[in-house]
Short mmCIF file of all heavy atoms in Angstrom, two decimals:
data_model
loop_
_atom_site.label_atom_id
_atom_site.label_comp_id
_atom_site.label_asym_id
_atom_site.label_seq_id
_atom_site.Cartn_x
_atom_site.Cartn_y
_atom_site.Cartn_z
N LEU A 674 4.70 27.93 9.34
CA LEU A 674 3.65 27.03 8.86
C LEU A 674 2.90 26.42 10.06
O LEU A 674 1.67 26.37 10.06
CB LEU A 674 4.24 25.92 7.99
CG LEU A 674 3.21 24.89 7.51
CD1 LEU A 674 2.22 25.51 6.53
CD2 LEU A 674 3.88 23.67 6.88
N GLY A 675 3.66 25.97 11.06
CA GLY A 675 3.03 25.36 12.24
C GLY A 675 1.99 26.29 12.85
O GLY A 675 0.94 25.84 13.30
N LYS A 676 2.30 27.59 12.88
CA LYS A 676 1.37 28.55 13.50
C LYS A 676 0.22 28.89 12.54
O LYS A 676 -0.94 28.93 12.94
CB LYS A 676 2.12 29.84 13.87
CG LYS A 676 3.05 29.63 15.07
CD LYS A 676 3.64 30.93 15.57
CE LYS A 676 4.56 30.67 16.75
NZ LYS A 676 5.95 31.05 16.49
N ARG A 677 0.57 29.13 11.26
CA ARG A 677 -0.46 29.53 10.30
C ARG A 677 -1.48 28.41 10.10
O ARG A 677 -2.67 28.63 10.00
CB ARG A 677 0.23 29.89 8.98
CG ARG A 677 -0.60 30.61 7.96
CD ARG A 677 0.30 31.42 6.99
NE ARG A 677 1.43 30.64 6.50
CZ ARG A 677 1.42 29.87 5.43
NH1 ARG A 677 0.33 29.76 4.72
NH2 ARG A 677 2.50 29.22 5.06
N TRP A 678 -0.97 27.16 10.08
CA TRP A 678 -1.85 26.00 9.90
C TRP A 678 -2.02 25.27 11.23
O TRP A 678 -1.87 24.05 11.31
CB TRP A 678 -1.27 25.06 8.83
CG TRP A 678 -1.48 25.53 7.43
CD1 TRP A 678 -1.70 26.81 7.01
CD2 TRP A 678 -1.49 24.72 6.25
NE1 TRP A 678 -1.84 26.84 5.64
CE2 TRP A 678 -1.72 25.58 5.14
CE3 TRP A 678 -1.32 23.36 6.01
CZ2 TRP A 678 -1.78 25.11 3.83
CZ3 TRP A 678 -1.38 22.89 4.71
CH2 TRP A 678 -1.63 23.77 3.63
N HIS A 679 -2.32 26.03 12.29
CA HIS A 679 -2.33 25.49 13.65
C HIS A 679 -3.26 24.30 13.82
O HIS A 679 -3.02 23.42 14.64
CB HIS A 679 -2.72 26.60 14.63
CG HIS A 679 -4.05 27.22 14.31
ND1 HIS A 679 -5.22 26.78 14.89
CD2 HIS A 679 -4.41 28.18 13.41
CE1 HIS A 679 -6.24 27.47 14.38
NE2 HIS A 679 -5.77 28.33 13.48
N ASP A 680 -4.33 24.22 13.01
CA ASP A 680 -5.30 23.14 13.19
C ASP A 680 -5.13 22.00 12.17
O ASP A 680 -5.85 21.02 12.21
CB ASP A 680 -6.74 23.69 13.14
CG ASP A 680 -6.98 24.57 11.92
OD1 ASP A 680 -6.02 24.79 11.15
OD2 ASP A 680 -8.12 25.04 11.74
N ILE A 681 -4.16 22.15 11.26
CA ILE A 681 -3.94 21.11 10.25
C ILE A 681 -2.64 20.34 10.54
O ILE A 681 -2.50 19.17 10.20
CB ILE A 681 -3.87 21.72 8.82
CG1 ILE A 681 -5.15 22.53 8.54
CG2 ILE A 681 -3.70 20.64 7.75
CD1 ILE A 681 -5.15 23.24 7.20
N ILE A 682 -1.69 21.03 11.17
CA ILE A 682 -0.39 20.43 11.50
C ILE A 682 -0.47 19.80 12.90
O ILE A 682 -1.01 20.40 13.83
CB ILE A 682 0.71 21.53 11.46
CG1 ILE A 682 0.84 22.11 10.05
CG2 ILE A 682 2.03 21.00 11.98
CD1 ILE A 682 1.34 21.15 9.00
N ASP A 683 0.06 18.59 13.03
CA ASP A 683 0.00 17.89 14.31
C ASP A 683 1.18 18.20 15.22
O ASP A 683 1.06 18.12 16.44
CB ASP A 683 -0.06 16.37 14.06
CG ASP A 683 -1.34 15.96 13.35
OD1 ASP A 683 -2.37 15.82 14.04
OD2 ASP A 683 -1.32 15.81 12.11
N LEU A 684 2.33 18.51 14.62
CA LEU A 684 3.52 18.72 15.45
C LEU A 684 4.43 19.69 14.70
O LEU A 684 4.66 19.53 13.50
CB LEU A 684 4.24 17.37 15.66
CG LEU A 684 5.45 17.35 16.58
CD1 LEU A 684 5.04 17.66 18.02
CD2 LEU A 684 6.12 15.97 16.54
N ASP A 685 4.94 20.68 15.42
CA ASP A 685 5.81 21.69 14.79
C ASP A 685 7.27 21.39 15.12
O ASP A 685 7.69 21.51 16.27
CB ASP A 685 5.43 23.09 15.29
CG ASP A 685 6.39 24.15 14.77
OD1 ASP A 685 6.93 23.95 13.67
OD2 ASP A 685 6.59 25.16 15.47
N ALA A 686 8.01 21.00 14.10
CA ALA A 686 9.44 20.74 14.28
C ALA A 686 10.27 21.99 14.01
O ALA A 686 11.49 21.98 14.15
CB ALA A 686 9.90 19.60 13.37
N GLY A 687 9.61 23.09 13.62
CA GLY A 687 10.31 24.35 13.36
C GLY A 687 11.02 24.88 14.59
O GLY A 687 11.96 25.66 14.49
N ARG A 688 10.57 24.43 15.77
CA ARG A 688 11.20 24.85 17.02
C ARG A 688 12.67 24.44 17.08
O ARG A 688 13.44 25.00 17.85
CB ARG A 688 10.43 24.23 18.20
CG ARG A 688 9.02 24.81 18.38
CD ARG A 688 8.23 24.01 19.39
NE ARG A 688 7.99 22.66 18.91
CZ ARG A 688 7.93 21.59 19.68
NH1 ARG A 688 8.10 21.69 20.98
NH2 ARG A 688 7.71 20.40 19.16
N ILE A 689 13.05 23.45 16.24
CA ILE A 689 14.46 23.04 16.22
C ILE A 689 15.31 24.16 15.60
O ILE A 689 16.41 24.45 16.08
CB ILE A 689 14.61 21.72 15.43
CG1 ILE A 689 13.87 20.59 16.17
CG2 ILE A 689 16.09 21.37 15.24
CD1 ILE A 689 13.70 19.32 15.35
N ALA A 690 14.77 24.82 14.56
CA ALA A 690 15.54 25.89 13.90
C ALA A 690 15.65 27.13 14.78
O ALA A 690 16.65 27.84 14.74
CB ALA A 690 14.88 26.26 12.57
N THR A 691 14.61 27.37 15.59
CA THR A 691 14.65 28.57 16.43
C THR A 691 15.36 28.32 17.75
O THR A 691 15.51 29.23 18.57
CB THR A 691 13.21 29.06 16.73
OG1 THR A 691 12.47 27.96 17.28
CG2 THR A 691 12.52 29.54 15.46
N GLY A 692 15.80 27.08 17.96
CA GLY A 692 16.54 26.76 19.18
C GLY A 692 15.65 26.49 20.38
O GLY A 692 16.13 26.33 21.50
N ASP A 693 14.32 26.39 20.15
CA ASP A 693 13.41 26.15 21.27
C ASP A 693 13.26 24.68 21.62
O ASP A 693 12.66 24.34 22.64
CB ASP A 693 12.03 26.75 20.95
CG ASP A 693 12.08 28.26 20.83
OD1 ASP A 693 12.78 28.87 21.68
OD2 ASP A 693 11.48 28.83 19.90
N ALA A 694 13.75 23.79 20.76
CA ALA A 694 13.70 22.35 21.04
C ALA A 694 14.84 21.69 20.28
O ALA A 694 15.33 22.23 19.29
CB ALA A 694 12.36 21.76 20.60
N SER A 695 15.25 20.51 20.76
CA SER A 695 16.32 19.79 20.06
C SER A 695 15.70 18.73 19.15
O SER A 695 14.50 18.43 19.26
CB SER A 695 17.25 19.11 21.07
OG SER A 695 16.54 18.09 21.74
N ILE A 696 16.50 18.18 18.27
CA ILE A 696 16.03 17.08 17.41
C ILE A 696 15.51 15.94 18.27
O ILE A 696 14.45 15.36 18.01
CB ILE A 696 17.18 16.63 16.48
CG1 ILE A 696 17.45 17.71 15.42
CG2 ILE A 696 16.88 15.28 15.83
CD1 ILE A 696 18.72 17.51 14.62
N GLU A 697 16.26 15.63 19.34
CA GLU A 697 15.87 14.54 20.24
C GLU A 697 14.52 14.85 20.91
O GLU A 697 13.67 13.98 21.01
CB GLU A 697 16.94 14.31 21.33
CG GLU A 697 18.26 13.77 20.82
CD GLU A 697 19.13 14.84 20.15
OE1 GLU A 697 18.77 16.05 20.23
OE2 GLU A 697 20.15 14.48 19.54
N ASP A 698 14.34 16.11 21.37
CA ASP A 698 13.06 16.49 22.03
C ASP A 698 11.89 16.20 21.09
O ASP A 698 10.90 15.57 21.48
CB ASP A 698 13.02 18.00 22.33
CG ASP A 698 14.02 18.43 23.40
OD1 ASP A 698 14.45 17.56 24.17
OD2 ASP A 698 14.37 19.63 23.43
N VAL A 699 11.99 16.71 19.87
CA VAL A 699 10.86 16.58 18.93
C VAL A 699 10.70 15.12 18.51
O VAL A 699 9.58 14.63 18.34
CB VAL A 699 11.04 17.51 17.71
CG1 VAL A 699 9.90 17.35 16.73
CG2 VAL A 699 11.14 18.97 18.16
N GLY A 700 11.82 14.39 18.38
CA GLY A 700 11.76 12.96 18.05
C GLY A 700 10.98 12.18 19.11
O GLY A 700 10.12 11.36 18.79
N TRP A 701 11.28 12.46 20.38
CA TRP A 701 10.54 11.77 21.46
C TRP A 701 9.08 12.20 21.48
O TRP A 701 8.19 11.37 21.67
CB TRP A 701 11.18 12.09 22.83
CG TRP A 701 12.32 11.17 23.18
CD1 TRP A 701 13.64 11.48 23.19
CD2 TRP A 701 12.21 9.79 23.57
NE1 TRP A 701 14.38 10.37 23.57
CE2 TRP A 701 13.53 9.33 23.81
CE3 TRP A 701 11.14 8.90 23.73
CZ2 TRP A 701 13.81 8.02 24.20
CZ3 TRP A 701 11.42 7.59 24.13
CH2 TRP A 701 12.73 7.16 24.36
N GLU A 702 8.82 13.50 21.28
CA GLU A 702 7.42 13.97 21.23
C GLU A 702 6.64 13.23 20.15
O GLU A 702 5.51 12.81 20.36
CB GLU A 702 7.38 15.47 20.89
CG GLU A 702 7.41 16.41 22.07
CD GLU A 702 7.33 17.85 21.60
OE1 GLU A 702 6.32 18.24 20.99
OE2 GLU A 702 8.31 18.59 21.84
N LEU A 703 7.28 13.08 18.99
CA LEU A 703 6.62 12.40 17.88
C LEU A 703 6.36 10.94 18.25
O LEU A 703 5.27 10.41 17.99
CB LEU A 703 7.49 12.50 16.62
CG LEU A 703 6.96 11.78 15.38
CD1 LEU A 703 5.57 12.29 14.99
CD2 LEU A 703 7.92 11.96 14.20
N PHE A 704 7.34 10.28 18.85
CA PHE A 704 7.18 8.88 19.25
C PHE A 704 5.97 8.72 20.18
O PHE A 704 5.13 7.84 20.00
CB PHE A 704 8.47 8.41 19.92
CG PHE A 704 8.45 6.98 20.40
CD1 PHE A 704 8.38 5.92 19.50
CD2 PHE A 704 8.53 6.70 21.76
CE1 PHE A 704 8.38 4.60 19.95
CE2 PHE A 704 8.53 5.37 22.21
CZ PHE A 704 8.46 4.34 21.31
N HIS A 705 5.87 9.61 21.18
CA HIS A 705 4.74 9.53 22.12
C HIS A 705 3.42 9.85 21.42
O HIS A 705 2.39 9.22 21.70
CB HIS A 705 4.97 10.46 23.31
CG HIS A 705 6.00 9.94 24.27
ND1 HIS A 705 5.78 8.83 25.07
CD2 HIS A 705 7.27 10.33 24.54
CE1 HIS A 705 6.85 8.57 25.80
NE2 HIS A 705 7.79 9.47 25.49
N LEU A 706 3.46 10.81 20.50
CA LEU A 706 2.24 11.17 19.75
C LEU A 706 1.79 9.98 18.90
O LEU A 706 0.59 9.68 18.80
CB LEU A 706 2.52 12.40 18.89
CG LEU A 706 1.33 12.96 18.10
CD1 LEU A 706 0.20 13.39 19.04
CD2 LEU A 706 1.76 14.15 17.23
N ILE A 707 2.74 9.28 18.31
CA ILE A 707 2.41 8.09 17.50
C ILE A 707 1.69 7.06 18.37
O ILE A 707 0.65 6.51 17.99
CB ILE A 707 3.70 7.49 16.88
CG1 ILE A 707 4.22 8.39 15.76
CG2 ILE A 707 3.45 6.07 16.37
CD1 ILE A 707 5.62 8.01 15.25
N LEU A 708 2.22 6.81 19.58
CA LEU A 708 1.59 5.82 20.47
C LEU A 708 0.18 6.27 20.88
O LEU A 708 -0.74 5.45 20.95
CB LEU A 708 2.46 5.59 21.71
CG LEU A 708 3.82 4.91 21.45
CD1 LEU A 708 4.66 4.91 22.71
CD2 LEU A 708 3.64 3.48 20.93
N ASP A 709 0.02 7.58 21.14
CA ASP A 709 -1.30 8.10 21.55
C ASP A 709 -2.32 7.97 20.41
O ASP A 709 -3.46 7.59 20.62
CB ASP A 709 -1.19 9.57 21.96
CG ASP A 709 -0.61 9.72 23.37
OD1 ASP A 709 -0.61 8.73 24.12
OD2 ASP A 709 -0.15 10.83 23.70
N VAL A 710 -1.89 8.32 19.22
CA VAL A 710 -2.81 8.29 18.08
C VAL A 710 -3.11 6.84 17.68
O VAL A 710 -4.25 6.49 17.37
CB VAL A 710 -2.24 9.12 16.90
CG1 VAL A 710 -3.05 8.89 15.63
CG2 VAL A 710 -2.24 10.60 17.26
N ALA A 711 -2.09 5.98 17.74
CA ALA A 711 -2.30 4.56 17.43
C ALA A 711 -3.28 3.93 18.41
O ALA A 711 -3.97 2.96 18.10
CB ALA A 711 -0.97 3.81 17.45
N SER A 712 -3.37 4.50 19.62
CA SER A 712 -4.26 3.97 20.67
C SER A 712 -5.66 4.55 20.59
O SER A 712 -6.53 4.16 21.36
CB SER A 712 -3.69 4.32 22.05
OG SER A 712 -2.39 3.80 22.21
N GLY A 713 -5.86 5.56 19.72
CA GLY A 713 -7.16 6.22 19.66
C GLY A 713 -7.36 7.24 20.78
O GLY A 713 -8.44 7.79 20.94
N ARG A 714 -6.29 7.50 21.59
CA ARG A 714 -6.41 8.49 22.68
C ARG A 714 -6.41 9.90 22.12
O ARG A 714 -7.02 10.80 22.67
CB ARG A 714 -5.25 8.36 23.66
CG ARG A 714 -5.30 7.15 24.57
CD ARG A 714 -4.24 7.24 25.66
NE ARG A 714 -2.88 7.09 25.16
CZ ARG A 714 -2.21 5.95 25.12
NH1 ARG A 714 -2.79 4.83 25.53
NH2 ARG A 714 -0.98 5.89 24.65
N LYS A 715 -5.65 10.10 21.04
CA LYS A 715 -5.62 11.40 20.36
C LYS A 715 -5.97 11.17 18.91
O LYS A 715 -5.76 10.07 18.38
CB LYS A 715 -4.22 12.02 20.46
CG LYS A 715 -3.90 12.61 21.81
CD LYS A 715 -2.58 13.35 21.77
CE LYS A 715 -2.22 13.89 23.15
NZ LYS A 715 -0.80 14.28 23.24
N GLN A 716 -6.44 12.23 18.25
CA GLN A 716 -6.83 12.12 16.86
C GLN A 716 -5.87 12.94 16.00
O GLN A 716 -5.47 14.04 16.39
CB GLN A 716 -8.23 12.69 16.70
CG GLN A 716 -9.09 11.86 15.79
CD GLN A 716 -10.51 12.41 15.69
OE1 GLN A 716 -10.86 13.43 16.26
NE2 GLN A 716 -11.31 11.71 14.92
N ALA A 717 -5.50 12.39 14.85
CA ALA A 717 -4.70 13.16 13.90
C ALA A 717 -5.56 14.30 13.36
O ALA A 717 -6.77 14.15 13.22
CB ALA A 717 -4.23 12.27 12.76
N ALA A 718 -4.92 15.43 13.05
CA ALA A 718 -5.67 16.60 12.58
C ALA A 718 -6.51 16.25 11.34
O ALA A 718 -7.67 16.66 11.23
CB ALA A 718 -4.70 17.74 12.26
N ALA A 719 -5.92 15.48 10.41
CA ALA A 719 -6.66 15.15 9.18
C ALA A 719 -7.94 14.37 9.50
O ALA A 719 -8.96 14.56 8.83
CB ALA A 719 -5.76 14.36 8.23
N ASP A 720 -7.89 13.51 10.52
CA ASP A 720 -9.08 12.73 10.89
C ASP A 720 -10.11 13.62 11.59
O ASP A 720 -11.31 13.51 11.37
CB ASP A 720 -8.70 11.56 11.79
CG ASP A 720 -7.98 10.48 11.01
OD1 ASP A 720 -8.11 10.46 9.76
OD2 ASP A 720 -7.27 9.66 11.62
N ARG A 721 -9.60 14.50 12.45
CA ARG A 721 -10.50 15.41 13.17
C ARG A 721 -11.25 16.29 12.16
O ARG A 721 -12.44 16.54 12.29
CB ARG A 721 -9.68 16.27 14.13
CG ARG A 721 -10.50 17.06 15.12
CD ARG A 721 -9.60 17.77 16.13
NE ARG A 721 -8.70 18.72 15.51
CZ ARG A 721 -7.37 18.65 15.56
NH1 ARG A 721 -6.78 17.65 16.20
NH2 ARG A 721 -6.62 19.56 14.96
N LEU A 722 -10.54 16.73 11.12
CA LEU A 722 -11.14 17.62 10.13
C LEU A 722 -11.84 16.85 9.01
O LEU A 722 -12.59 17.43 8.22
CB LEU A 722 -10.06 18.51 9.51
CG LEU A 722 -9.36 19.47 10.49
CD1 LEU A 722 -8.10 20.05 9.86
CD2 LEU A 722 -10.31 20.58 10.92
N GLY A 723 -11.58 15.53 8.92
CA GLY A 723 -12.19 14.73 7.86
C GLY A 723 -11.63 15.05 6.48
O GLY A 723 -12.35 15.00 5.48
N ILE A 724 -10.31 15.39 6.40
CA ILE A 724 -9.71 15.67 5.09
C ILE A 724 -8.88 14.48 4.65
O ILE A 724 -7.89 14.13 5.29
CB ILE A 724 -8.88 16.98 5.09
CG1 ILE A 724 -8.04 17.11 6.36
CG2 ILE A 724 -9.77 18.20 4.93
CD1 ILE A 724 -7.12 18.32 6.38
N HIS A 725 -9.30 13.86 3.57
CA HIS A 725 -8.67 12.62 3.13
C HIS A 725 -8.46 12.62 1.62
O HIS A 725 -9.36 12.96 0.86
CB HIS A 725 -9.54 11.42 3.53
CG HIS A 725 -9.71 11.29 5.02
ND1 HIS A 725 -10.93 11.12 5.61
CD2 HIS A 725 -8.80 11.35 6.02
CE1 HIS A 725 -10.77 11.05 6.93
NE2 HIS A 725 -9.49 11.19 7.19
N ASN A 726 -7.27 12.20 1.20
CA ASN A 726 -6.97 12.13 -0.24
C ASN A 726 -7.41 10.79 -0.81
O ASN A 726 -7.56 9.81 -0.08
CB ASN A 726 -5.47 12.32 -0.46
CG ASN A 726 -5.05 13.75 -0.21
OD1 ASN A 726 -4.85 14.15 0.94
ND2 ASN A 726 -4.97 14.53 -1.26
N ASP A 727 -7.58 10.78 -2.14
CA ASP A 727 -7.95 9.55 -2.83
C ASP A 727 -6.77 8.58 -2.87
O ASP A 727 -5.62 8.99 -2.82
CB ASP A 727 -8.32 9.86 -4.28
CG ASP A 727 -9.64 10.63 -4.37
OD1 ASP A 727 -10.43 10.56 -3.42
OD2 ASP A 727 -9.85 11.28 -5.41
#
Side-chain angles (χ1 to χ4, degrees):
L674 177 68
K676 288 188 181 118
R677 193 156 46 89
W678 282 24
H679 57 94
D680 50 357
I681 304 177
I682 297 294
D683 295 279
L684 185 66
D685 174 30
R688 291 170 294 146
I689 296 168
T691 54
D693 295 318
S695 67
I696 289 169
E697 292 78 8
D698 292 339
V699 179
W701 274 108
E702 270 181 62
L703 177 58
F704 179 66
H705 286 291
L706 184 60
I707 288 170
L708 293 172
D709 282 342
V710 169
S712 302
R714 287 190 290 266
K715 284 187 183 164
Q716 222 178 2
D720 288 340
R721 191 174 61 241
L722 297 166
I724 41 176
H725 298 131
N726 288 81
D727 290 339

